[in-house]
Amino acid sequence: MSTPQEDQGGASNVNEPTMLMKLEVVVIPVADVDCALRFYQGLGWRLDADFEAGPKFRAVQLTPPGSACSIHLGRGLTPAAPGTAQGTYLVVSDIDQARADLISRGVEVSEVFHNVYDTGDQERVDGPAPDRRSYASFASFTDPDGNGWLLQEVKERQPGR
C-alpha cells in the first residue's frame, strides 16, 4: 500500500488514494443469455468465460477489443431488469470507423452527434463536435435487450488518464 502523496504546497492530500483500484467488470442485465452472447461475440468481443452452476446461475464474461474492462451477462448475476444498463461508454479513437464497423456487423448505430450546453441544459446536435476535440463526439447503439452503449471519440487523452 502506498502512502498519500504530498501536493505542491507540502500538505498531505488526504483525498489521494492509498490503493490502486481498477474497474474490472460491468454487469449487463439480459433476458436471454445465448442471444446476448451471440450479439456481443458478433461485435468481435472476446469470450473469456462461460460457466454454469445449475439452472439458476450462469456467468458469461466478454471483453471488447483493447479493453481492460470486461462485461458479465448471465442468470443470477443481478436483480436489475434486462435493458436497464444505460450510458455505458466505449472509447474509440475514430468514431466514424467504429460506427462503420458496427454497422457492417448488423448493428443499428445512431448518427454521430455532439452535445451543446448553451442554455445550461444538454442539447444533442447532429454531427461530430465542430472542432473534433477529444471527448466531444458520440454515437449510440443498444443490444437486443435495450442496454444502451455510447461510443465516445477520444483522440488524445487528458493528462493522468
Side-chain angles (χ1 to χ4, degrees):
M1 197 183 279
S2 63
T3 58
Q5 301 293 317
E6 299 221 347
D7 66 19
Q8 293 180 359
S12 177
N13 183 350
V14 294
N15 293 325
E16 189 71 26
T18 58
M19 177 185 302
L20 294 179
M21 295 182 194
K22 297 179 181 181
L23 182 61
E24 186 77 18
V25 174
V26 174
V27 176
I28 304 296
V30 299
D32 182 328
V33 179
D34 291 315
C35 177
L37 175 58
R38 283 189 301 275
F39 175 80
Y40 288 105
Q41 282 188 296
L43 300 182
W45 294 19
R46 182 186 70 233
L47 176 62
D48 300 322
D50 184 351
F51 59 92
E52 198 161 359
K56 293 184 179 182
F57 185 84
R58 180 179 176 191
V60 176
Q61 180 173 309
L62 297 121
T63 304
S67 180
C69 185
S70 302
I71 64 167
H72 277 180
L73 44 99
R75 282 189 310 276
L77 298 178
T78 178
T84 57
Q86 298 297 315
T88 307
Y89 282 64
L90 292 168
V91 172
V92 298
S93 60
D94 184 323
I95 198 155
D96 297 315
Q97 181 181 1
R99 185 176 175 276
D101 179 67
L102 288 172
I103 290 170
S104 77
R105 296 170 183 273
V107 179
E108 290 185 33
V109 185
S110 75
E111 295 294 329
V112 175
F113 63 90
H114 64 283
N115 297 315
V116 294
Y117 305 90
D118 293 341
T119 64
D121 293 324
Q122 178 178 302
E123 180 184 346
R124 183 179 280 193
V125 177
D126 291 340
D131 57 3
R132 293 304 292 248
R133 73 185 181 283
S134 285
Y135 302 97
S137 297
F138 304 88
S140 62
F141 69 95
T142 60
D143 73 5
D145 285 289
N147 293 299
W149 294 88
L150 280 170
L151 298 175
Q152 180 184 44
E153 185 175 71
V154 177
K155 293 178 181 267
E156 185 176 321
R157 288 201 168 273
Q158 293 291 325
R161 296 286 322 220

